[in-house]
Amino acid sequence: MQRDSELVFNKSTLGRNLKEHVVFSMFRAAAVINGLALLIILFFLIKNGWSAISWEFLTKPPVDSMTKGGILPCIVGTVYLSIGAVAIAMPLGIGCAIYLNEYARQGLIVRLIRFAINNLAGVPSVVFGLFGLAFFVTWMNLGVSIVSGALTLGFLTLPVVIGTSEEALRSVPDTYREASLGLGATKWQTISRVVLPAAFPSMITGGILSLSRAAGETAAIMFTAAVFFNRQIPDSIMDPVMALPYHIYVLATAGTRIEETRHLQYGTALVLIALVLGMNLIAIVYRARLRRRV
């Protein structure tokens, strides 16, 4: 009888180990496939776009129907729009996450709010672009400008910030809250001085994700902020801008000499990826420093 039970136990353990091995092998394969796909894309862009990279390309505006010159206005416009989107999405997203996680009573209303946020995350970016055109550009009379594009991108990336901020708040142990309240602190003092400092490094993850998405969006800015051509660097948030993703779209679909500018298209895409990686790296380093302090 004992031998039979040991045999059954060994078979059960072997079956669990086999399933675990298969599942983790699938995870490893998925990671390898994603990594290879990224390397292939980077190799393709570097191979086809490296010839376009030069000091003039990075520091001059485009000339001769955008077939020569550089992409400096596009780089500056992308940075403005991305930083503006994060500056809008982070306070709103963190505030919403604090309400949902710390103040709201869990019930039907909160479930409906979370359901709406999840649905908002799945809305196509072109719909946000049309919303920005109707609301910010036309109804609020902000025109095609940096502020209209940043507001549109901010609302586009808001669900990501809310989701990551909520997860960051949930990761803070309840003992932190209990200890603060036990010492006589109010709920807001507990949240602002104990919970938020502990959760903020993880909230930066939402900012990094929103920064990456905002920098690469085309449909959301083509109606609200981006213009076909502009040699000048914007000096006001009410000015329109050129942007790297829209510039790639223009060169690839609406340019006057599409084939002649093919290397410029790949070069612009390469610069866009490098810019996104650079901004993400700065945010990651800042997050790491915050975590060390905490």
Side-chain angles (χ1 to χ4, degrees):
M1 187 69 178
Q2 184 177 359
R3 290 182 178 178
D4 292 340
S5 61
E6 289 178 355
L7 183 61
V8 171
F9 177 76
N10 291 333
K11 287 182 177 179
S12 176
T13 303
L14 181 62
R16 288 196 300 268
N17 291 337
L18 180 61
K19 290 179 181 178
E20 181 179 342
H21 179 72
V22 171
V23 171
F24 276 100
S25 297
M26 293 173 61
F27 289 158
R28 294 188 187 98
V32 170
I33 291 172
N34 286 329
L36 287 176
L38 176 61
L39 290 176
I40 291 171
I41 293 173
L42 288 176
F43 174 76
F44 182 76
L45 290 177
I46 293 172
K47 178 183 176 181
N48 292 278
W50 184 254
S51 60
I53 305 299
S54 66
W55 181 250
E56 180 184 3
F57 186 69
L58 298 175
T59 59
K60 301 292 183 181
V63 296
D64 195 13
S65 300
M66 294 190 295
T67 60
K68 297 180 182 178
I71 56 171
L72 179 61
C74 305
I75 296 174
V76 175
T78 301
V79 172
Y80 284 173
L81 290 173
S82 301
I83 294 177
V86 173
I88 292 167
M90 286 293 286
L92 292 176
I94 292 174
C96 182
I98 291 173
Y99 168 74
L100 292 175
N101 196 74
E102 303 293 333
Y103 285 101
R105 292 183 178 179
Q106 302 304 312
L108 178 61
I109 295 178
V110 172
R111 289 199 298 270
L112 288 175
I113 293 174
R114 288 199 174 100
F115 179 73
I117 293 171
N118 292 332
N119 282 338
L120 192 65
V123 174
S125 59
V126 66
V127 176
F128 280 96
L130 293 173
F131 163 76
L133 173 64
F135 188 71
F136 299 122
V137 176
T138 304
W139 189 79
M140 293 187 67
N141 200 29
L142 296 175
V144 176
S145 61
I146 295 175
V147 66
S148 295
L151 286 168
T152 303
L153 291 173
F155 280 96
L156 174 67
T157 58
L158 192 57
V160 176
V161 177
I162 294 174
T164 54
S165 297
E166 270 202 274
E167 290 299 324
L169 290 171
R170 292 194 193 103
S171 68
V172 178
D174 287 336
T175 52
Y176 285 27
R177 299 173 176 85
E178 293 167 359
S180 177
L181 294 172
L183 291 172
T186 64
K187 188 164 187 176
W188 172 244
Q189 289 174 331
T190 299
I191 293 171
S192 61
R193 299 181 183 180
V194 178
V195 177
L196 271 180
F200 190 71
S202 298
M203 291 178 176
I204 298 294
T205 302
I208 295 172
L209 294 174
S210 62
L211 184 69
S212 302
R213 186 173 183 188
E217 282 294 337
T218 303
I221 62 172
M222 65 189 302
F223 303 112
T224 58
V227 291
F228 185 88
F229 179 75
N230 184 11
R231 288 179 54 87
Q232 303 299 323
I233 302 296
D235 54 8
S236 169
I237 61 173
M238 302 307 296
D239 291 338
V241 292
M242 296 183 72
L244 289 171
Y246 186 63
H247 187 62
I248 297 170
Y249 168 78
V250 169
L251 290 178
T253 60
T256 55
R257 305 171 193 172
I258 294 177
E259 291 301 326
E260 292 182 20
T261 61
R262 191 70 68 187
H263 67 295
L264 298 179
Q265 300 166 28
Y266 289 119
T268 305
L270 187 60
V271 171
L272 176 59
I273 291 178
L275 183 65
V276 171
L277 289 176
M279 290 191 293
N280 284 349
L281 181 61
I282 294 172
I284 290 170
V285 171
Y286 178 65
R287 181 182 62 184
R289 289 184 177 180
L290 285 178
R291 283 178 173 170
R292 284 197 297 267
R293 291 177 185 176
V294 173

